[in-house]
Amino acid sequence: CVHTENCFVRISEIIAVEETEFNKKQRNIGRWHKMAKLHAFMARNHRWRCSDMTFWCVDEHLCNQWIQALKELLEMQKSRPKQLLVYINPYGGKRQGKRIYEQKVAPLFSLASISTDVVITEHANHAKDNLFEVNIYKYDGVVCVGGDGMFSEVMHGLIGRMQKDSGIDQNNPKASLVQCNIRIGIIPAGSTDCICYSTVGISDPVTSALHIIVGDCQPLDVSSVHHNNTFLKYSVSLLGYGFYGDILKDSEKKRWMGPMRYDYSGFKTFLSHHYYEGTIVYQPAKHTHGSPRDKESCRTGCYICKKSEKQLAELHKECGLKHEESEEEWKVIKGKFLAINAVNMSCACPRSPKGLSPAAHLADGSADLILVRKCSRFDFLRYLVRHTNQDDQFDFPFVDVYRVKCFQFTSKLSEDNESNVMDIGKKRFGQFCRDHPACCCNIVNSTWNCDGETLDSSAIEVRVHCQLMKLFARGIEENCKDEAAYSQSSVEQLL
């Protein structure tokens, strides 16, 4: 060991290793030396970057032993993918998915000796349909290059394929779904990239690519959404009725505006200030530890997610899912709501670093149900502003939050079976009211925003499936490796 400082690299952080020659004489050594060149990553504020770290020694035989041992160790790490199926959306979000993949991601995959089959999507649901046709079991993972919509396509394709191959009826809202063990990698290239931000801590294609290469694995809860025993969608981030549903519905008509349409539709929806009547029935998530207001954020290796998974498995083993449901108490809430939100994760993004529910967990088998009751426009604005700062966004008398494992929602219109004059008027003039919201009557129904896609049915049944799928991620790291970040001056040191 011929040096004055120590330097170490974790095996898990090494991407590739190769032999190289040093192109100049080293001071105080006086002769040429063989070296082992490591391609590892360094991290700062959740952002990962690939870095070449060069080690050398006097003994050429020892250097060769290093290289061989490292290659064998990298090969033995089964979590690292060897073959990936990649779907690229060249149209959505930033419309740069193909360029981002070719310039930033593909070279890293090649360096790590990962083979890829690339599919450029040509229309909506291309990736979803393709996943029902290809042999998915020969791949170590599926990578989507695009935004949250692209991820949703891949998720629906993978989960749907697993249920089909296992003979599970997705239309049965009480069915116990088969876990999808094929991991999904997200290379962010969309407008918001909420799912990537909430599971990695940053929306950066290089960081996501490195998470894929090292084989990280983050379980993720998935909610199934049904209407009248008919499967509608899966959701992993936001189910929003009222405010967020109205924003999405209005923004879909203004796609020509690009990402600015969300700001425009958000401002317009805020000014309209519509509320909706309905009934929510839910089952509390008694199996999980903590609450939506305990300030216990979900981080890498989250103990709450691990305990919840273990407790759910024990409950299902002891009494079975159906028996457990029949014994659980359902709670009923009726009222007038400006927004009804159910989130499986914090839903953090650059504009809202803490998200809609800062203490929501990625894999505890529950969702945080947030009810914003009818209030003044000023109070609602105060609530929205809390999403952008560090204040408790649930500390309002008109906001309630519950941790649930399933819930049902029925709008007031669906509940009313009497054909009185007011009901007839609502039905007859409903379209006029929807087209002219300034009219004196309130809009009867909103639209559900399911991970950025609209649902036609207002009455839905939602069930959370614990750790139904897995991502190439490790959750948000509490203290990103700032202290272990490698500066340029310490990259090349003697061993």
Side-chain angles (χ1 to χ4, degrees):
C1 192
V2 190
H3 63 89
T4 57
E5 297 181 22
N6 292 323
C7 182
F8 70 92
V9 183
R10 295 186 180 93
I11 296 296
S12 61
E13 297 180 353
I14 298 175
I15 298 171
V17 59
E18 64 180 348
E19 183 181 346
T20 186
E21 292 280 357
F22 202 42
N23 59 5
K24 64 180 180 178
K25 291 183 178 181
Q26 266 297 305
R27 187 180 307 169
N28 299 327
I29 295 179
R31 69 174 189 269
W32 305 94
H33 297 282
K34 297 280 186 178
M35 296 177 297
K37 183 177 182 181
L38 303 179
H39 300 278
F41 65 82
M42 61 180 186
R44 185 179 296 275
N45 296 329
H46 307 298
R47 185 184 298 273
W48 290 8
R49 284 294 178 265
C50 190
S51 176
D52 291 344
M53 302 195 66
T54 305
F55 297 85
W56 64 85
C57 65
V58 176
D59 190 339
E60 181 178 349
H61 177 68
L62 179 58
C63 182
N64 291 332
Q65 285 184 322
W66 284 356
I67 296 172
Q68 186 61 31
L70 285 170
K71 285 182 176 179
E72 290 176 359
L73 285 171
L74 294 178
E75 186 67 24
M76 288 173 59
Q77 295 191 25
K78 296 181 179 180
S79 62
R80 296 188 180 230
K82 297 177 178 61
Q83 188 169 5
L84 297 171
L85 177 59
V86 181
Y87 292 101
I88 302 176
N89 181 5
Y91 307 112
K94 303 181 179 72
R95 297 183 180 273
Q96 297 179 0
K98 186 176 180 181
R99 182 189 64 82
I100 288 174
Y101 177 78
E102 291 177 346
Q103 295 183 6
K104 297 184 178 181
V105 179
L108 292 175
F109 285 170
S110 177
L111 180 64
S113 300
I114 298 176
S115 60
T116 57
D117 291 337
V118 179
V119 178
I120 307 294
T121 60
E122 299 174 354
H123 54 78
N125 291 321
H126 185 169
K128 176 184 174 183
D129 297 339
N130 186 254
L131 283 166
F132 278 87
E133 301 171 356
V134 301
N135 178 16
I136 60 175
Y137 302 103
K138 73 176 185 179
Y139 296 104
D140 300 305
V142 178
V143 176
C144 56
V145 184
D148 293 336
M150 187 65 184
F151 168 81
S152 180
E153 269 197 46
V154 171
M155 175 186 69
H156 279 82
L158 271 182
I159 296 178
R161 174 67 180 273
M162 295 298 296
Q163 310 318 308
K164 178 184 176 183
D165 292 351
S166 302
I168 304 297
D169 181 13
Q170 293 184 97
N171 287 319
N172 180 4
K174 294 180 174 58
S176 182
L177 301 182
V178 176
Q179 187 181 56
C180 181
N181 291 318
I182 300 176
R183 288 168 289 175
I184 299 179
I186 308 174
I187 304 298
S191 301
T192 55
D193 301 310
C194 170
I195 298 169
C196 183
Y197 195 96
S198 297
T199 55
V200 176
I202 192 171
S203 299
D204 176 65
V206 174
T207 301
S208 295
L210 291 172
H211 276 289
I212 295 170
I213 291 171
V214 300
D216 281 334
C217 183
Q218 170 63 54
L220 196 65
D221 293 339
V222 179
S223 292
S224 59
V225 185
H226 289 78
H227 170 71
N228 289 341
N229 291 324
T230 301
F231 170 73
L232 299 179
K233 288 280 186 182
Y234 290 116
S235 171
V236 294
S237 56
L238 168 68
L239 266 171
Y241 186 84
F243 182 71
Y244 289 104
D246 292 348
I247 289 177
L248 180 63
K249 185 176 181 180
D250 186 75
S251 67
E252 286 296 298
K253 305 173 186 177
K254 301 174 177 61
R255 283 189 165 271
W256 55 272
M257 295 179 66
M260 289 182 58
R261 67 184 185 273
Y262 298 115
D263 295 330
Y264 175 81
S265 296
F267 182 68
K268 178 180 176 183
T269 303
F270 171 76
L271 292 180
S272 64
H273 202 61
H274 292 305
Y275 66 87
Y276 303 92
E277 292 188 68
T279 301
I280 298 165
V281 184
Y282 71 90
Q283 281 187 332
K286 295 182 179 179
H287 67 275
T288 188
H289 299 261
S291 72
R293 300 191 65 180
D294 60 11
K295 301 186 185 302
E296 290 287 339
S297 300
C298 188
R299 293 294 181 259
T300 302
C302 177
Y303 75 95
I304 290 179
C305 293
K306 291 181 179 179
K307 286 186 177 180
S308 297
E309 177 194 19
K310 184 178 180 181
Q311 189 166 345
L312 269 179
E314 291 174 352
L315 284 172
H316 292 175
K317 185 177 180 180
E318 290 176 2
C319 55
L321 183 60
K322 292 184 179 179
H323 178 70
E324 175 197 351
E325 288 173 352
S326 62
E327 296 295 328
E328 288 283 353
E329 179 184 0
W330 289 85
K331 298 189 179 294
V332 181
I333 298 176
K334 292 188 177 184
K336 300 176 181 179
F337 307 98
L338 288 171
I340 300 171
N341 300 322
V343 297
N344 287 65
M345 57 179 64
S346 66
C347 292
C349 66
R351 288 190 176 186
S352 179
K354 294 181 65 177
L356 293 179
S357 185
H361 290 268
L362 296 173
D364 67 342
S366 71
D368 286 354
L369 179 63
I370 307 166
L371 308 179
V372 184
R373 297 179 182 272
K374 181 184 177 184
C375 61
S376 69
R377 186 178 282 106
F378 176 72
D379 280 340
F380 189 56
L381 177 61
R382 291 170 58 209
Y383 165 72
L384 294 178
V385 170
R386 290 279 178 96
H387 291 18
T388 64
N389 56 38
Q390 301 297 316
D391 296 333
D392 184 0
Q393 56 194 262
F394 303 132
D395 189 23
F396 291 105
F398 54 87
V399 178
D400 298 315
V401 59
Y402 308 94
R403 188 151 285 174
V404 305
K405 65 179 182 180
C406 55
F407 73 92
Q408 299 173 7
F409 172 78
T410 308
S411 66
K412 182 70 163 56
L413 180 63
S414 301
E415 293 174 343
D416 290 339
N417 294 320
E418 299 178 3
S419 299
N420 53 37
V421 175
M422 185 177 296
D423 292 329
I424 295 173
K426 287 180 180 178
K427 293 176 183 178
R428 180 170 298 172
F429 300 109
Q431 186 61 47
F432 177 83
C433 293
R434 284 191 291 272
D435 295 338
H436 302 80
C439 119
C440 59
C441 60
N442 189 57
I443 298 176
V444 178
N445 276 337
S446 177
T447 301
W448 280 100
N449 178 340
C450 178
D451 291 359
E453 297 183 15
T454 58
L455 295 180
D456 295 331
S457 303
S458 60
I460 62 172
E461 180 178 350
V462 180
R463 185 173 306 276
V464 183
H465 301 270
C466 185
Q467 303 190 9
L468 185 62
M469 59 171 295
K470 298 175 181 177
L471 297 181
F472 282 108
R474 63 173 61 172
I476 298 176
E477 295 173 289
E478 188 69 54
N479 295 311
C480 204
K481 306 180 186 70
D482 289 333
E483 70 280 357
Y486 305 108
S487 64
Q488 186 64 32
S489 60
S490 64
V491 167
E492 297 184 355
Q493 296 194 41
L494 298 174
L495 279 183

